[in-house]
Amino acid sequence: MYRLKEKLKNKQILLFLITTFTGTYLLWGILLLSSKGILSKVIYRNSAYNTFLHVLGASMPSIMGIVFTGYFGGVKKIKRLLKKLTNWKFNIIFYLLSLVTLNAQLFLSYFIFSIVGFNIKVFVNHSFQGFKTDTILGIFVLFIVIVLFGGPIQEEFGWRGFLLPRLQKKFHPVFSAVIVGVVWSIWHLPMFFISGSGYNDFLIYMVETIILSIEITWIYNKTNGSLLFPVLIHGIDNTYGVVLGTSGNKTMLAYIVVIVIAFFIVIDMCRKNQKGVWRYE
């Protein structure tokens, strides 16, 4: 058994990816087949079944990240991983930067372009899936729900807690961030085929996800591998995406703004004398 574990230890990343994708695709695959009528549509139409399969499938990255952390490192490593979520004593600048996520940059750009005469309007949605989103309290409650059940907690123990530090042990932080972004995008692929999921245009989604992954990796490394910031950024970005909306013609200039910001982040990540790049030990 010990020899097997030692052999598998060199395949941690591959094992994590195989089990995570298998678990998620199996559960989301049931939803997909049900939505297309290949399986009983009762599964897709029943809110309890739909929510259970969706949430459990979305939780596979964190579940597998914690499972393999424990398998290869024991309870001590699990405690260390979980403790990183409570690692919050950092300069306030990192909390402020966490507010300026990819979606914040896009919507702010749209708003500025609307002021200078572009045919686009940014507005606040009044509600989202029963949550009031036109009040500060309503947005905060929605943010908490999103953090707990809309991706951040379900995914970040896997993507940034398990996968990223192990990649950074092998590759440069920028390359590691891009790999995580690609994996993160492809993992979401079944959602693009499930009716009413809200996902569309996979290529644009992948570009956005890679850029968001770079932004998260940048702050993650500067905060010594704190998982609090990936969870915050992930949750805040998702919240922007459902609270704010646009009408009119979206301009590609907004994406140029985002790419320029990402470019400067990459330059900072490529500095020779980097400190605080957190890798798996």
Side-chain angles (χ1 to χ4, degrees), residues 40-199:
S40 172
K41 284 202 171 186
V42 172
I43 300 172
Y44 172 73
R45 291 172 178 171
N46 185 288
S47 60
Y49 294 154
N50 192 313
T51 300
F52 174 77
L53 290 170
H54 185 277
V55 171
L56 185 58
S59 301
M60 284 299 131
S62 284
I63 290 174
M64 294 306 169
I66 293 171
V67 166
F68 283 116
T69 295
Y71 179 70
F72 292 112
V75 175
K76 183 179 179 180
K77 290 289 187 180
I78 292 179
K79 289 181 178 179
R80 182 181 178 186
L81 175 63
L82 297 178
K83 189 176 180 180
K84 286 195 167 293
L85 187 60
T86 64
N87 194 6
W88 62 273
K89 293 182 180 180
F90 295 98
N91 193 303
I92 193 173
I93 188 66
F94 294 115
Y95 290 94
L96 296 177
L97 287 171
S98 297
L99 296 173
V100 193
T101 68
L102 173 71
N103 272 328
Q105 296 162 28
L106 284 172
F107 282 114
L108 182 59
S109 298
Y110 292 145
F111 178 71
I112 293 173
F113 290 135
S114 71
I115 292 176
V116 298
F118 283 76
N119 181 28
I120 188 170
K121 181 180 178 181
V122 177
F123 56 86
V124 177
N125 293 312
H126 293 293
S127 64
F128 175 76
Q129 294 187 355
F131 292 92
K132 293 288 184 180
T133 56
D134 53 1
T135 66
I136 298 298
L137 179 60
I139 293 172
F140 179 73
V141 171
L142 176 60
F143 167 73
I144 296 300
V145 172
I146 287 175
V147 165
L148 295 176
F149 305 106
I153 292 294
Q154 297 162 294
E155 300 175 29
E156 291 304 334
F157 285 108
W159 303 142
R160 254 61 63 167
F162 187 90
L163 181 58
L164 179 61
R166 285 162 177 79
L167 286 173
Q168 290 193 140
K169 190 176 180 181
K170 298 174 179 289
F171 308 112
H172 188 277
V174 174
F175 189 44
S176 298
V178 172
I179 293 174
V180 173
V182 172
V183 168
W184 195 8
S185 304
I186 297 174
W187 176 77
H188 279 93
L189 192 58
M191 283 294 145
F192 287 83
F193 301 97
I194 298 176
S195 304
S197 66
Y199 288 81

